[in-house]
């Protein structure tokens, strides 16, 4: 019997909801795990460079539970890394979720808390763990997340060949902002939530003055493309997390520069999926 | 036949929802209007000093519609003025609503737009016109408001004998704020909205770092009383608009300093009410 764990891609921020909103996308990183004499890992899908966050987290949680058996693991990674689509959050969550499930300790709330602590912020983690459209906050009592039905069923994701490091994207933000810009985002994010039941989503509700423009400006061609595309579509458009992917709600046929990729995806009401086959 | 128009008090901001949230309270300013040979105005209820905003607005809208008949008007004002309970918004809305009704042009959206233009901000106006708990925003296409069912049925309002001028309360705010304070409010305001269906309202969701503390500090005894009361109750507590009244969700028996007033009120799902008797 194999354990299958699947975690969705996620988009953080959605423009106005800086450090608050998350949206799960039906594009998944998965693992298949079988008991074995020794540890072996095979990989399929997109190539992820650097440290294997899934394996690191999986091992840590397994070891903290005192279990050191072997496993035959197959990783299938479909989320493009370093584009703002929650690839690292998904890998971390996969590792925690698989290890907790094996130890019969699976709990979404626990996974949310553990993954947020590793990631440092809850917005991607909330969407990837609970699915749907999420609001998350750093409260005194810890991180808190609410999952709701997404405001759109389909989403178009435009992925440039270049990346922004999360560190660089955070460093570029100013320490202080005009009070009126704080109110600008607050009013728009509140409008997104207030209109969620009717799913009447104006492009303007997703506009931002706190982070997006500075992050787009890290790649002048990204900023130019974003602005041109925004003026052509009526639907909400925003940078995915700190970039570099751009998302547009709904299905759109967009002509992209050479080397870019266009994905037509559904949003996901499901977060982590655990199955046995 | 008399025309009766009634407009509720309203609380703006509610802590985290600075310049965005509004809540209608079942405490009303009303007018009774009959046709007459000449204009006459009688007043009941609380004394409102300074310009009669109802009469000024009523006359302006009547004149812009080319009607100059006389009216016998009885004003019943129950909203304490200059305490942050939307007294001036209610008076302006009363004037517009009564004049438009007489001219068979009553429209909530029109009244919302006209009153917001006079008030300069939509938060009290939205709640007073549409009722309930409101989110409003200044969009490119104009002011926009959404009315929802309030998160609480009862509210306790503590009213000190002193006032803050709206101008002073605005002037004291800084032009720039830390980015993390902007995120603090954004996350909490989003939590209020995300938990609205379940009405699971934590005190922490209504905490603010953008305006409230500075405004409380205009009156040191107000700030001290607010902080002491906040530590004693678990329910959400916030300054009403720019002050000086303080509101606590739910019904609470609170001991107040000499000269203060305590009101136990219901929130109002109705905004403007128009009747003929």
């Amino acid at each position: 019997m194999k354990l299958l764990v699947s975690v969705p891609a996620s988009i953080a921020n959605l423009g106005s909801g800086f450090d608050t909103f998350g949206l799960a996308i039906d594009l998944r990183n998965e693992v298949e795990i079988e008991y074995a004499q020794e540890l072996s890992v095979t990989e399929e899908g997109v190539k992820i460079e650097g440290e294997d966050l899934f394996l690191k987290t999986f091992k840590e949680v397994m070891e903290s539970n005192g279990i050191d058996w072997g496993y035959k693991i197959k990783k299938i990674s479909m989320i493009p890394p370093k584009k703002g689509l929650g690839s690292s959050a998904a890998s971390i969550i996969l590792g925690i979720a698989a290890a907790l499930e094996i130890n019969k300790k699976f709990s979404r709330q626990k996974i949310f808390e553990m993954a947020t602590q590793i990631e440092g912020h809850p917005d991607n983690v909330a969407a990837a763990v609970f699915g749907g459209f999420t609001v998350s906050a750093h409260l005194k009592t810890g991180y808190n997340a609410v999952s709701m039905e997404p405001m759109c069923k389909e989403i178009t994701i435009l992925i440039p060949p270049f990346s922004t490091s999360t560190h660089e994207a955070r460093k570029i933000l100013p320490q202080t902002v005009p009070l009126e810009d704080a109110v600008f985002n607050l009013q728009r994010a509140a409008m997104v939530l207030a209109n969620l039941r009717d799913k009447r989503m104006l492009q303007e509700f997703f506009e931002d003055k706190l982070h997006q423009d500075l992050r787009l400006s890290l790649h002048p061609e990204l900023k130019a493309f974003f602005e041109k595309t925004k003026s052509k579509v009526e639907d909400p458009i925003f940078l995915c997390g700190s970039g570099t992917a751009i998302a547009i709600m709904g299905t759109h046929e967009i002509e992209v520069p050479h080397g870019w990729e266009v994905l037509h995806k559904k949003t996901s009401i499901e977060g982590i999926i655990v199955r046995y086959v």
Side-chain angles (χ1 to χ4, degrees), chain A residues 23 34 53 110-111 116 146-147 176 185 191 197 208 269:
Chain A
L23 182 63
E34 286 175 276
L53 289 173
K110 177 107 189 110
I111 297 166
T116 297
V146 179
S147 167
T176 61
N185 273 58
M191 274 288 160
R197 193 178 296 188
D208 161 88
I269 55 163

Side-chain angles (χ1 to χ4, degrees), chain A residues 218-259:
Chain A
L218 287 169
H219 304 278
E221 68 272 45
L222 183 66
K223 185 166 150 68
F225 180 77
F226 182 87
E227 280 166 11
K228 190 184 76 179
T229 308
K230 185 178 174 213
S231 69
K232 279 190 197 163
V233 297
E234 285 197 359
D235 282 324
I237 177 171
F238 37 80
L239 193 64
C240 298
S242 55
T244 49
I246 292 168
I248 312 168
M249 289 191 180
T251 299
H252 299 267
E253 297 303 331
I254 304 281
E255 208 174 306
V256 290
H258 179 73

Side-chain angles (χ1 to χ4, degrees), chain A residues 1 9 61 147 196 209:
Chain A
M1 199 169 64
V61 180
S147 167
L196 203 56
K209 289 198 176 178

Side-chain angles (χ1 to χ4, degrees), chain A residues 30 84 88 141 148:
Chain A
E30 304 186 341
S88 71
T141 47
M148 293 157 282

Side-chain angles (χ1 to χ4, degrees), chain A residues 120-270:
Chain A
H121 58 96
D123 31 7
N124 285 97
V125 174
V129 169
F130 300 109
F133 169 58
T134 54
V135 163
S136 53
H138 189 181
L139 302 179
K140 280 179 223 134
T141 47
Y143 289 102
N144 206 306
V146 179
S147 167
M148 293 157 282
E149 197 182 301
M151 62 285 275
C152 66
K153 284 200 159 56
E154 275 130 32
I155 196 153
T156 304
I157 301 171
L158 313 173
I159 306 173
F162 45 85
S163 297
T164 299
S165 83
T166 305
H167 175 69
E168 189 182 17
R170 181 58 61 173
K171 213 178 57 182
I172 201 180
L173 299 182
Q175 294 212 296
T176 61
V177 295
L179 177 59
E180 61 186 277
D181 290 356
V183 170
F184 182 96
N185 273 58
L186 182 51
Q187 289 188 343
R188 276 150 191 77
M191 274 288 160
V192 169
L193 288 157
N195 286 284
L196 203 56
R197 193 178 296 188
D198 300 338
K199 301 194 171 50
R200 193 186 67 93
M201 291 292 140
L202 301 185
Q203 188 183 81
E204 207 173 346
F205 295 169
F206 296 84
E207 287 179 353
D208 161 88
K209 289 198 176 178
L210 297 178
H211 67 107
Q212 196 165 267
D213 207 49
L214 288 164
R215 288 166 167 186
L216 287 167
S217 302
L218 287 169
H219 304 278
E221 68 272 45
L222 183 66
K223 185 166 150 68
F225 180 77
F226 182 87
E227 280 166 11
K228 190 184 76 179
T229 308
K230 185 178 174 213
S231 69
K232 279 190 197 163
V233 297
E234 285 197 359
D235 282 324
I237 177 171
F238 37 80
L239 193 64
C240 298
S242 55
T244 49
I246 292 168
I248 312 168
M249 289 191 180
T251 299
H252 299 267
E253 297 303 331
I254 304 281
E255 208 174 306
V256 290
H258 179 73
W260 288 50
E261 197 184 349
V262 179
L263 299 179
H264 292 110
K265 290 288 162 191
K266 293 198 186 307
T267 55
S268 178
I269 55 163
E270 286 190 282

Side-chain angles (χ1 to χ4, degrees), chain A residues 18-88:
Chain A
F18 176 56
D19 274 359
T20 306
F21 288 170
L23 182 63
I25 307 296
D26 200 15
L27 169 70
R28 290 172 168 269
N29 282 0
E30 304 186 341
V31 286
E32 294 178 10
I33 301 183
E34 286 175 276
Y35 293 97
Q37 289 293 326
E38 290 181 4
L39 183 69
S40 69
V41 182
T42 58
E43 299 189 23
E44 285 182 17
V46 298
K47 177 80 195 130
I48 301 176
E49 282 165 25
E51 191 172 28
D52 186 332
L53 289 173
F54 158 74
L55 203 60
K56 178 175 189 280
T57 322
F58 178 72
K59 280 184 180 168
E60 277 172 11
V61 180
M62 290 302 284
E63 278 161 19
S64 74
N65 281 280
I67 298 185
D68 58 356
W69 308 327
Y71 293 93
K72 184 178 162 194
I73 298 174
K74 183 162 109 181
K75 285 172 54 187
I76 307 128
S77 305
M78 300 309 291
I79 308 172
K82 297 187 186 301
K83 304 298 184 193
L85 295 170
S87 159
S88 71

